Amino acid sequence: MTHLRAELEGLRLEMNRLGVLPAVELEQYRERLRREIAEQAAAAQAQTADLDRQLLDLRQQVVVTEETALLQEAGVYEYRHPLSDAVAYQAALAELQGQIKSMTKREGGAVLAATGWTVNGSAAEGRVMVRDFSKLMLRAYNAEADNLVRGLKPYKLDSAVERLGKVAATIAKLGKTMHIRISEDYHRLRVRELELTADYQAKVAEEKEREREEKARLREERRVQQEIERERARLDKERQHYANALAALQATSTSTAPPKCRSGWRRSTPRSRTWTTGPPMCAPATCTSSRTWERSARRW
């Protein structure tokens, strides 16, 4: 009996060493694995659905952005702040930039932070620390905003505004301990600066296009006018040529015209021995017809 117990104990030790578990424990382990797999599958399915929704949103944004870009390439631009001309946009930008400079000054309200922060029990050191970190965060925000303004294109406005909003959110996240964040009023000013800059660039491009069209129209008008003047000069020259030819022809006709017939006294036939008046004596060669001349001569 003792031998059998020892052998049973040895078998149990061997089973534990080999990792063999009882059937009940195996079933429990299998059930636990099934639950974990089901939970992971459900989590993966939910995550996939969330990713699909995000992908659909991004695709819609891309479609909208591409449509906007295509419209702007075709000359259709939607102004955020419509003004009359580029000069008006420059004046509005100058005024806006003055407001931005005023808010970036100390206590101007561009950046907000905690007021009761202390360092080593010192409120003064805490204020200095908060002010330095606030200045650093504002500097980073302004650097990003300035870069966006310098490299802005009208069709990239939406992405630039979104990027600036992400910068403001990142600053708020990093400065959460001290409650450092960019104020909404200041952020709206920088967004309006982006919008006015995009509108200004679009207006400048529109005015340049109008100038090119006007120059092309003037060039065409000058070309047509020059062609008309050349044609007019050619017609005047041709008219003068015909006038000279006509004058020369008239002069030639006058010089070669037959002499006028002269009327006067002539002696009649030898029988009469008297002087009588008669018709003009014309040479046969110069009268209208020699036969007519002969008839006239016989009658007289």
Side-chain angles (χ1 to χ4, degrees):
M1 191 68 175
T2 305
H3 177 67
L4 292 175
R5 288 179 178 176
E7 187 177 356
L8 181 59
E9 187 66 26
L11 290 173
R12 286 179 178 176
L13 292 174
E14 186 65 18
M15 289 174 63
N16 292 333
R17 186 179 69 82
L18 294 175
V20 180
L21 299 176
V24 177
E25 294 181 2
L26 285 174
E27 188 65 26
Q28 292 176 355
Y29 181 69
R30 188 181 296 109
E31 188 65 25
R32 187 168 63 252
L33 287 177
R34 287 176 182 173
R35 286 195 302 269
E36 291 179 357
I37 291 172
E39 291 175 357
Q40 291 179 1
Q45 187 175 3
Q47 186 176 5
T48 302
D50 186 34
L51 291 175
D52 288 340
R53 286 193 299 271
Q54 293 181 7
L55 181 60
L56 181 60
D57 294 339
L58 290 175
R59 284 177 178 173
Q60 291 177 352
Q61 293 177 7
V62 169
V63 169
V64 172
T65 303
E66 288 180 351
E67 288 179 354
T68 304
L70 291 175
L71 288 174
Q72 291 170 356
E73 288 178 359
V76 179
Y77 177 76
E78 182 179 358
Y79 289 91
R80 268 67 174 182
H81 305 281
L83 295 177
S84 59
D85 52 11
V87 177
Y89 280 106
Q90 285 181 335
L93 277 171
E95 181 181 358
L96 181 62
Q97 288 170 357
Q99 296 177 7
I100 291 173
K101 289 179 181 179
S102 299
M103 290 194 70
T104 54
K105 293 179 180 179
R106 185 174 179 179
E107 304 299 332
V111 62
L112 304 177
T115 56
W117 190 264
T118 60
V119 176
N120 296 326
S122 173
E125 292 182 2
R127 286 193 299 271
V128 172
M129 184 176 181
V130 170
R131 185 174 64 249
D132 292 342
F133 274 98
S134 299
K135 188 183 298 182
L136 182 62
M137 296 294 186
L138 182 60
R139 186 182 182 89
Y141 177 84
N142 284 332
E144 185 66 24
D146 292 338
N147 287 332
L148 290 174
V149 169
R150 282 194 295 268
L152 183 64
K153 300 296 181 182
Y155 59 88
K156 294 183 178 179
L157 175 61
D158 293 335
S159 60
V161 172
E162 183 180 359
R163 183 174 177 179
L164 190 61
K166 289 181 179 179
V167 172
T170 302
I171 290 174
K173 183 178 179 181
L174 294 176
K176 185 176 181 180
T177 304
M178 300 180 185
H179 301 286
I180 299 175
R181 62 198 182 277
I182 302 297
S183 67
E184 291 295 330
D185 293 338
Y186 186 71
H187 181 67
R188 280 194 294 269
L189 283 179
R190 298 310 303 248
V191 169
R192 188 166 183 267
E193 181 185 19
L194 289 173
E195 294 174 350
L196 282 176
T197 302
D199 290 351
Y200 169 72
Q201 292 179 352
K203 181 62 71 173
V204 169
E206 181 182 341
E207 291 181 353
K208 287 183 178 179
E209 182 64 24
R210 282 203 300 267
E211 289 178 0
R212 284 194 294 268
E213 292 177 356
E214 182 66 18
K215 289 180 180 179
R217 186 185 65 81
L218 292 175
R219 283 196 301 270
E220 183 65 19
E221 288 183 356
R222 284 196 299 269
R223 187 187 66 80
V224 173
Q225 185 65 28
Q226 290 173 358
E227 186 175 353
I228 291 174
E229 290 177 357
R230 286 195 299 268
E231 185 66 17
R232 184 178 297 162
R234 186 186 67 81
L235 292 176
D236 291 342
K237 184 177 180 181
E238 189 173 353
R239 186 183 298 110
Q240 186 64 35
H241 173 72
Y242 288 146
N244 294 337
L246 181 61
L249 183 61
Q250 290 176 350
T252 304
S253 300
T254 304
S255 61
T256 59
K260 295 181 179 179
C261 296
R262 293 173 296 159
S263 60
W265 295 94
R266 71 179 181 86
R267 192 166 60 178
S268 61
T269 59
R271 295 178 183 178
S272 63
R273 294 181 181 268
T274 58
W275 293 94
T276 59
T277 59
M281 299 299 292
C282 300
T286 59
C287 292
T288 306
S289 173
S290 59
R291 184 174 299 174
T292 303
W293 179 81
E294 290 175 356
R295 286 199 301 269
S296 179
R298 282 197 300 268
R299 187 169 55 252
W300 286 98

